[in-house]
Amino acid sequence: MEFFGRGSVAGSLPVKLVAVALAIAAAALAASPSASLAARPDPAPGGPVTGADVDVDAGYWTTQRMLGAVPVEPPSEPESSFDLEAPLAAAGSGAAVGAADGDFVPSDTEAFPLRVHGKVFLRIDGHDYVCSGTVVHSKGENVVFTAGHCVFDEASGLYAEELIFVPAYRNGTTPLGIWPASAVFTPSRFVEKGDLSHDIGAVVLEQKIQRDLGARRIAFGLDPRGRSYTIYGYP
């Protein structure tokens, strides 16, 4: 499983996701100023964000389990569920990959900033799954952003268990260690309605990963149109 990137994707991004991400970030940051779960309040019932505690067995994720984990699929096709104010590739946006750019394999995935990208391994309803995740800048220095369907399963109504983050993961190796989660969060609208325009998840780790590896910053309130983007992931 190789780590890839795609350069200079110009166009507009879903702006509604910015507000959702801000809500999740606020919940995650307030929830875990330290590694102690005792200091983490539960999300308010009926609030915009819901979540659950996570317990991780230190010996659960062997190399064989990681290699055998399968990608989590979203509950439905995005085109059928997105409710966006400014959808990707909107008419006239000119969204496209530059002719001189395209796919590439980063040369050193253990160097900053590439090392803050990695794999999220989790267990839901007795099955082992894998997603991608990124360390994001936070007050608690311990937040990873991923997809909502990687922390909550709409079909079973269950939150992820045995969830870990592996930065710079590559073909079963864990060069920068295994980082267990202590809690997960996702928008209530995704949990209750399966709305993929709110398909964002935040993972709060037990330890402060940001001080060791760094983090990607998040900007809010910016106009996403007319910008260039580099997208990293594990296709």
Side-chain angles (χ1 to χ4, degrees), residues 28-202:
L29 303 189
S32 188
S34 69
S36 173
L37 279 178
R40 190 184 67 77
D42 291 328
V49 176
T50 62
D53 292 341
V54 177
D55 293 321
V56 179
D57 181 349
Y60 182 80
W61 286 106
T62 62
T63 299
Q64 289 72 26
R65 283 189 185 275
M66 290 183 188
L67 292 173
V70 298
V72 180
E73 296 295 334
S76 60
E77 290 297 324
E79 292 80 4
S80 66
S81 300
F82 271 14
D83 176 19
L84 304 175
E85 297 171 2
L88 181 65
S93 69
V97 177
D101 301 312
D103 293 343
F104 62 90
V105 179
S107 59
D108 187 358
T109 56
E110 296 180 36
F112 182 83
L114 299 179
R115 66 190 180 197
V116 303
H117 304 291
K119 299 302 291 185
V120 174
F121 292 93
L122 58 136
R123 186 170 176 83
I124 294 181
D125 199 21
H127 301 283
D128 295 333
Y129 295 104
V130 60
C131 288
S132 297
T134 297
V135 182
V136 296
H137 190 271
S138 66
K139 184 177 180 180
E141 300 183 334
N142 61 344
V143 175
V144 170
F145 263 31
T146 185
H149 62 267
C150 296
V151 301
F152 177 81
D153 178 51
E154 183 186 36
S156 64
L158 299 174
Y159 285 93
E161 301 175 323
E162 302 290 353
L163 192 148
I164 62 170
F165 175 64
V166 182
Y169 173 87
R170 185 169 183 173
N171 298 327
T173 64
T174 58
L176 300 177
I178 292 175
W179 299 75
S182 63
V184 293
F185 295 91
T186 193
S188 299
R189 184 165 169 176
F190 177 71
V191 172
E192 297 168 0
K193 299 182 179 181
D195 186 344
L196 291 189
S197 67
H198 288 62
D199 186 7
I200 299 176

